[in-house]
Amino acid sequence: MDRFIIHGGKKLQGTVQTSGSKNASLPILVATLLTDEPCIIHRVPNLRDVRTTLKILEYLGKKIEYANGTVTITANGPLKNSLPYELVKQMRASFWVAGPLLARFKTAEIPLPGGCAIGVRPVDIHLKGFEKLGASAVTEKGNVVLHAQALQPAKIVLRFPSVGATQNLLMCACLIEGETVLENIAKEPEVDDVVEFLRKMGADITADAKGSLVVRGKTSLHGAEHSVVADRIESGSYIIAAAATRGDVVVENCVPEHNSILLENLREAGVPLEVTSHSVHVLPYEGRLKPMRMRTAPYPGFATDLQAPWMTLMTLCEGTSEIDEDIFENRFMHAPELVRMGADIVTEKSIARVNGVESLSGAHVMASDLRGGMALVIAGLAAQGATEIERVYHIDRGYEDLEQKLTALGADIRRYNPDKNEF
Ligand code: UD1
């Protein structure tokens, strides 16, 4: 299994380009199941989760071509309406195929995704929504079996604005004739990008004054071409990495507005920033940053996916910071690893108290999830000495060309495979 070896203490410098969003690419690729016509999706990052999604589409009966960030998806015979556990266990978002498959076949059988390192992550909000749309949802031998004589439009109020449930129900509703209203939905930019793609496919989706989505379903959708929105979690991670190393970095081709809470927090902590419509310039600063109180929340709140990288930055502040993780119940696995690197962090339930230290020092640590892994990379870049990070496969799920991008910014980071003893 690959590891990263980072020799830290170097200020990042230069320009980095933002890739297309992982979390928008996955549902957009899945949405192509709503049509048999060809779809072309640009700016799709080459990531493990994307490759898993493409494998799922191939399994279900699509033909895939993927080159230079562009995925072309065409029909390759009749579609299947079930997935094997092998594919679902690799990635929770595999469950998002339920919506389009139910809409097309009135029946679908998808293995129930298990919990994952960051929390239990049930799918009850998805299933309640499908039931409102006229389907029965029964769990049999670990599979969710969805079945409907006929699907019907409905008004669905989500118990919590789940990103995945919003996208899953939205895709399903696009092929149910009549008016479906989705209330208390997720407002993440990735949801907007899916809406934009579905509209290009011919879907009739509007937002009402309260921000609910109104879907007037069609009997069929057509093929479409789309370019995926910039990855705000990737751009946010590089912005934080630049700040943690007191670097001088321009993050290009991003949408700063999608990172506005992060940028506000950084400014307040003392990081100088120059922001344009499509770039963020992180400038060097003197002295230590101010400690901050932050809580994660659904968009436009502070993204839970940036909580771990943010914690790394807070380890270097002068004073005590507080982080309240309100979205996932077990998302502090990076904290004990950061402590191994000299950080002073105490966690209790959803709260982490971070007592800032003057510097971090390199150590042997282990990534246990994607964003927690990135927090360790950022810590390794800021730390004095060498850091070895195990289980890099978590990080590969979500950061395209990470070593190349960081190396171009002057970092000393190498991938190492101890089994093959090769760099
Ligand atoms: C998506 C993102 C993930 C991000 C998360 C929150 C993708 C592929 N992943 O995940 O990176 O961290 O949004 O911004 O886009 N919940 C339930 N029942 C449900 C669904 C969710 O209780 O049916 C809970 C979850 O356990 C979690 C919270 O709601 O505690 C948020 O989950 P959700 O917004 O659904 O996250 P995902 O869509 O899985």
Side-chain angles (χ1 to χ4, degrees):
M1 279 196 285
D2 287 1
R3 297 178 184 183
F4 280 144
I5 298 184
I6 302 174
H7 290 274
K10 295 184 174 62
K11 296 178 189 213
L12 297 184
Q13 255 170 348
T15 299
V16 62
Q17 301 296 327
T18 311
S19 295
S21 159
K22 167 180 92 74
N23 286 353
S25 295
L26 305 184
I28 285 171
L29 292 169
V30 164
T32 67
L33 291 168
L34 292 166
T35 181
D36 289 329
E37 292 184 17
C39 293
I40 301 173
I41 320 292
H42 304 286
R43 207 183 183 190
V44 178
N46 187 3
L47 298 169
R48 199 156 66 89
D49 279 5
V50 165
R51 293 191 294 271
T52 304
T53 306
L54 296 179
K55 260 193 240 163
I56 286 170
L57 295 181
E58 266 178 346
Y59 174 89
L60 291 172
K62 293 286 191 184
K63 182 165 170 266
I64 307 288
E65 284 167 51
Y66 184 23
N68 305 320
T70 294
V71 181
T72 306
I73 301 169
T74 45
N76 193 20
L79 282 182
K80 293 192 185 69
N81 66 347
S82 63
L83 271 189
Y85 180 60
E86 276 312 301
L87 286 170
V88 175
K89 77 173 187 197
Q90 290 179 39
M91 188 186 66
R92 241 187 83 81
S94 311
F95 191 72
W96 300 186
V97 303
L101 293 181
L102 177 64
R104 292 206 63 182
F105 298 105
K106 313 286 174 280
T107 172
E109 187 167 339
I110 315 292
L112 194 60
C116 68
I118 62 174
V120 184
R121 296 181 94 174
V123 286
D124 59 301
I125 303 172
H126 303 237
L127 300 185
K128 282 255 160 56
F130 291 138
E131 282 171 353
K132 282 264 183 183
L133 294 172
S136 61
V138 186
T139 305
E140 281 173 11
K141 297 181 187 156
N143 292 346
V144 175
V145 183
L146 297 166
H147 182 74
Q149 292 294 338
L151 291 165
Q152 72 213 13
K155 176 177 152 184
I156 305 173
V157 184
L158 272 58
R159 160 175 81 71
F160 175 86
S162 153
V163 175
T166 302
Q167 293 165 340
N168 217 342
L169 297 170
L170 182 63
M171 291 189 282
C172 191
C174 284
L175 286 183
I176 301 173
E177 278 184 90
E179 190 174 285
T180 291
V181 181
L182 299 175
E183 288 187 14
N184 193 30
I185 53 165
K187 304 229 162 39
E188 270 67 2
E190 295 77 21
V191 174
D192 290 347
D193 210 30
V194 175
V195 168
E196 203 183 314
F197 178 61
L198 290 169
R199 285 187 181 136
K200 288 178 182 169
M201 294 178 84
D204 181 349
I205 306 169
T206 47
D208 71 10
K210 287 191 297 179
S212 305
L213 286 176
V214 181
V215 186
R216 288 172 201 88
K218 301 270 176 83
T219 47
S220 66
L221 297 182
H222 52 73
E225 187 165 354
H226 183 72
S227 187
V228 173
V229 68
D231 194 319
R232 69 193 165 102
I233 307 302
E234 189 203 27
S235 57
S237 300
Y238 282 102
I239 290 167
I240 293 172
T245 63
R246 298 168 180 276
D248 188 343
V249 172
V250 181
V251 180
E252 276 277 0
N253 263 320
C254 58
V255 184
E257 197 191 319
H258 293 166
N259 284 126
S260 50
I261 294 286
L262 169 69
L263 300 181
E264 240 172 67
N265 276 270
L266 284 168
R267 279 204 177 102
E268 214 176 304
V271 180
L273 301 169
E274 280 170 7
V275 179
T276 73
S277 60
H278 61 277
S279 71
V280 176
H281 187 172
V282 183
L283 294 146
Y285 54 92
E286 296 296 324
R288 307 255 305 269
L289 296 178
K290 276 201 321 207
M292 299 286 293
R293 273 187 156 197
M294 180 280 270
R295 82 189 287 197
T296 61
Y299 190 84
F302 197 105
T304 171
D305 285 350
L306 287 173
Q307 176 261 109
W310 177 256
M311 187 185 285
T312 299
L313 185 67
M314 290 298 101
T315 64
L316 294 165
C317 286
E318 187 160 29
T320 301
S321 299
E322 203 173 278
I323 296 174
D324 187 349
E325 172 53 68
D326 261 1
I327 305 290
F328 289 106
E329 64 271 27
N330 185 27
R331 208 169 193 183
F332 286 148
M333 276 102 56
H334 45 283
E337 301 301 299
L338 290 171
V339 169
R340 293 173 56 76
M341 299 180 71
D344 180 356
I345 305 167
V346 181
T347 58
E348 198 194 337
K349 297 190 181 146
S350 71
I351 308 276
R353 278 187 193 81
V354 185
N355 301 308
V357 293
E358 271 195 32
S359 64
L360 297 173
S361 49
H364 195 137
V365 291
M366 186 149 74
S368 48
D369 67 287
L370 165 56
R371 308 302 173 185
M374 188 60 184
L376 300 179
V377 169
I378 297 170
L381 295 170
Q384 298 301 319
T387 295
E388 186 162 341
I389 304 176
E390 285 192 36
R391 302 200 178 168
V392 161
Y393 62 87
H394 288 296
I395 306 168
D396 290 338
R397 285 185 43 219
Y399 290 92
E400 187 175 47
D401 298 334
L402 180 68
E403 306 100 280
Q404 290 85 336
K405 288 187 182 186
L406 286 174
T407 305
L409 294 176
D412 182 348
I413 174 169
R414 280 178 300 161
R415 189 178 284 262
Y416 168 65
N417 187 321
D419 306 323
K420 299 181 195 149
N421 197 21
E422 65 186 25
F423 280 98

